[in-house]
């Protein structure tokens, strides 16, 4: 019964990160468009948050639980999984514009493809809750929650906001209603609570794999930053003076500074 309660708690945390993606669509209730410059800053912010949360949170916590070799092996596995998944789905890349035009079967396929992009973030949330209910955490709704889990949930939530904006831009150009923009943004991150529950259940049952789990989540997220977030920002920079690099660097630095307190908690 306790395990079921913990799984529910972790699922809610993962679902909160998914809901945060919808925040990225909220500006369209007030503005018709979002400038490329602001988009670049948001991608930089997401990149800085992901890298710093991985380094100061997941990797440091993993080193406290196991050896550097275990962390390195986990990181390598996370990178390989993302690469292999992308290779398998290379011909199945989707555009958010397809959301509105898809039937139920197509939406299931789309959700499967989105899992490649958002599942690692869910894993990061799940493993960060490994000590849920144990001593040394913070009391939230009657549960003892690890401080790392709080920071990771907040970090992933902030990171999801620019993703929600990126998803909403092409849909807005199609004339999709604003409330639907929010729904589709949240839809894109639905694999996160599922990934969180699976990862939490795994490391809770097989505790000896916890360092590997921390490394896996960190490796996958850092690779996503390098292979997707930064290239996405640089593509947007084609229409911005100096390629948008000052905006990207500024966003990255701000994201790192935002998460820096994690290292001292």
């Amino acid at each position: 019964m306790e395990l079921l309660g913990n799984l529910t708690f972790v699922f809610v945390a993962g679902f909160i990160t998914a809901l945060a993606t919808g925040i990225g669509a909220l500006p369209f209730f007030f503005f018709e468009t979002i400038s490329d410059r602001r988009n670049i800053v948001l991608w930089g912010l997401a990149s800085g948050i992901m890298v710093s949360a991985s380094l100061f949170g997941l990797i440091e916590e993993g080193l406290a639980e196991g050896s550097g070799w275990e962390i390195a092996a986990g990181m390598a596995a996370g990178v390989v999984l993302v690469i292999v998944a992308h290779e398998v789905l290379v011909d199945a890349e989707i555009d958010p514009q397809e959301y509105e035009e898809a039937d139920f079967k197509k939406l299931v396929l789309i959700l499967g493809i989105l899992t490649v992009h958002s599942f690692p973030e869910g894993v990061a949330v799940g493993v960060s809750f490994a000590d849920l209910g144990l001593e040394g955490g913070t009391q939230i709704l009657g549960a003892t929650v690890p401080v790392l889990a709080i920071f990771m949930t907040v970090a992933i939530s902030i990171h999801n906001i620019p993703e929600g904006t990126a998803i909403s831009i092409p849909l807005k150009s199609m004339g999709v209603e604003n409330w639907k923009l929010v729904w589709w943004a949240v839809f894109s991150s639905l694999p996160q609570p599922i990934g969180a529950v699976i990862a939490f259940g795994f490391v809770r049952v097989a505790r000896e794999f916890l360092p590997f789990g921390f490394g896996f989540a960190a490796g996958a997220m850092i690779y996503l930053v390098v292979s997707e977030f930064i290239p996405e920002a640089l593509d947007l920079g084609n229409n911005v003076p100096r390629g948008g690099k000052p905006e990207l660097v500024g966003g990255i630095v701000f994201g790192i500074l935002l998460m820096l307190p994690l290292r001292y908690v």
Side-chain angles (χ1 to χ4, degrees):
M1 195 68 179
E2 181 183 358
L3 178 60
L4 179 60
N6 287 341
L7 289 172
T8 301
F9 197 98
V10 173
F11 179 86
V12 170
F15 191 62
I16 288 172
T17 66
L19 290 176
T21 316
I23 297 175
L26 295 183
F28 292 99
F29 282 82
F30 309 99
F31 308 101
E32 284 298 314
T33 60
I34 303 295
S35 69
D36 288 340
R37 188 186 298 272
R38 290 178 180 174
N39 247 330
I40 293 170
V41 173
L42 287 174
W43 280 117
L45 177 67
S47 299
I49 288 172
M50 285 296 90
V51 171
S52 57
S54 297
L55 294 177
F56 305 147
L58 295 172
I59 293 178
E60 284 198 359
E61 189 72 19
L63 289 173
E65 296 282 344
S67 68
W69 288 108
E70 290 174 302
I71 303 300
M75 292 182 70
V79 171
V80 168
L81 179 66
V82 174
I83 292 175
V84 170
H86 274 291
E87 288 298 318
V88 171
L89 298 173
V90 68
D91 295 324
E93 289 295 332
I94 58 170
D95 188 292
Q97 293 182 3
E98 295 183 32
Y99 294 2
E100 279 286 292
E101 303 162 358
D103 56 21
F104 179 76
K105 290 183 178 179
K106 179 67 173 178
L107 285 178
V108 171
L109 174 61
I110 289 174
L111 193 59
I113 296 171
L114 290 170
T115 298
V116 176
H117 301 273
S118 60
F119 192 78
E121 287 95 328
V123 170
V125 172
V127 297
S128 70
F129 274 91
D131 290 334
L132 179 64
L134 305 180
E135 293 184 3
T138 301
Q139 290 294 318
I140 298 179
L141 299 177
T144 305
V145 182
V147 175
L148 176 63
I150 298 172
F151 271 96
M152 287 307 302
T153 302
V154 172
I156 300 297
S157 296
I158 297 174
H159 143 273
N160 280 349
I161 294 174
E163 289 198 352
T165 303
I167 287 166
S168 300
I169 290 173
L171 292 173
K172 183 67 175 181
S173 68
M174 293 173 57
V176 175
E177 297 176 62
N178 289 334
W179 69 269
K180 282 190 175 183
L181 298 181
V182 176
W183 155 245
W184 289 123
V186 173
F187 173 82
S188 71
S189 292
L190 286 182
Q192 287 180 12
I194 299 172
V197 168
I198 293 174
F200 171 77
F202 181 77
V203 298
R204 198 60 178 251
V205 173
R207 181 82 185 189
E208 64 272 19
F209 288 103
L210 182 56
F212 181 86
F214 279 124
F216 178 90
M221 291 200 303
I222 291 173
Y223 182 76
L224 283 174
V225 167
V226 174
S227 65
E228 292 190 18
F229 293 2
I230 292 179
E232 179 72 24
L234 292 176
D235 283 344
L236 290 171
N238 292 330
N239 302 318
V240 176
R242 289 184 286 179
K245 293 180 178 63
E247 289 82 0
L248 175 59
V249 172
I252 291 173
V253 170
F254 184 72
I256 292 174
L257 293 176
L258 193 62
M259 295 303 298
L260 203 55
L262 175 65
R263 190 173 188 179
Y264 303 103
V265 174

